[in-house]
Amino acid sequence: MKKIVSDIIKKMIEYFNGDVKRINHAIKVYGFAKSIGEIENISEEKLEILEVSAILHDIGIKESEKKYFSSAGKYQEIEGPPVARNILKEFSLDDKFIDRVCYLIGNHHTYNKIDDIDFQILVEADFLVNIFEDNMSINNIETIKQKYFKTKGGLYFINNMYLK
Ligand SMILES: [Fe+2]
């Protein structure tokens, strides 16, 4: 799996084609997601799903900008899974794995659909990066923490990075 993850990082970098901001965003979300997953001691299978989903979570952004002139979450959710499927079909991954990754990519802004720890951690990791990238206010950070952060790893990071 280790090799698959770095090969998928290579594919994501190729796909984003010099868009360094998006590449960095994906790598940061991946780093937080993997760390929280390890802190929470989630199963090896869920950790692999989480790592791959984090790398590809915003992969629909280019197609949404092309088709709808928008990078809004709802369009990314529609456009992301087919692009991810196309990338993942080159790897020997089973259908269940790919379907779960696509579910996470296709719903990662729809917080009422969080149904398991992999999804929960992906959302927390994306917030940990977006808080900084979008320069959010302390009030906003507090609200996000209360509403969306549940894991001890995620809470540790948000508290120590933004609320000290
Ligand atoms: Fe993101």
Side-chain angles (χ1 to χ4, degrees), residues 1-149:
M1 192 65 200
K2 294 270 177 306
K3 183 71 168 65
I4 285 183
V5 167
S6 48
D7 282 343
I8 293 171
I9 289 174
K10 281 165 72 182
K11 292 278 171 201
M12 176 276 290
I13 290 174
E14 270 171 43
Y15 182 82
F16 278 137
N17 191 27
D19 189 341
V20 176
K21 200 176 152 223
R22 258 115 204 207
I23 294 167
N24 278 319
H25 177 84
I27 295 292
K28 286 188 275 182
V29 173
Y30 162 68
F32 284 121
K34 180 171 160 54
S35 305
I36 298 171
E38 288 175 1
I39 293 165
E40 298 305 309
N41 227 335
I42 66 174
S43 73
E44 202 57 46
E45 195 199 352
K46 282 187 181 156
L47 187 61
E48 288 171 356
I49 287 169
L50 175 62
E51 288 181 36
V52 173
S53 305
I55 296 161
L56 299 178
H57 78 283
D58 281 338
I59 206 77
I61 207 158
K62 269 175 62 166
E63 281 300 302
S64 359
E65 285 172 342
K66 221 190 275 175
K67 286 190 188 166
Y68 317 98
F69 306 99
S70 166
S71 58
K74 60 177 176 178
Y75 298 125
Q76 276 190 59
E77 288 188 342
I78 298 167
E79 297 302 322
V83 179
R85 243 174 233 288
N86 201 33
I87 292 172
L88 295 174
K89 71 173 195 272
E90 294 173 41
F91 299 89
S92 56
L93 295 162
D94 61 39
D95 289 350
K96 209 177 122 229
F97 185 99
I98 294 177
D99 288 347
R100 182 63 182 167
V101 169
C102 287
Y103 177 80
L104 297 187
I105 295 172
N107 293 289
H108 78 275
H109 289 128
T110 311
Y111 308 122
N112 62 6
K113 285 201 176 165
I114 295 174
D115 59 350
D116 203 348
I117 188 76
D118 49 0
F119 195 160
Q120 175 64 35
I121 294 172
L122 177 62
V123 166
E124 291 179 3
D126 202 18
F127 272 127
L128 285 167
V129 176
N130 286 331
I131 286 169
F132 176 76
E133 291 183 353
D134 299 340
N135 204 7
M136 290 183 197
S137 69
I138 291 291
N139 277 349
N140 209 348
I141 300 169
E142 282 287 1
T143 307
I144 286 168
K145 177 183 151 185
Q146 302 307 335
K147 267 177 101 166
Y148 302 115
F149 276 66

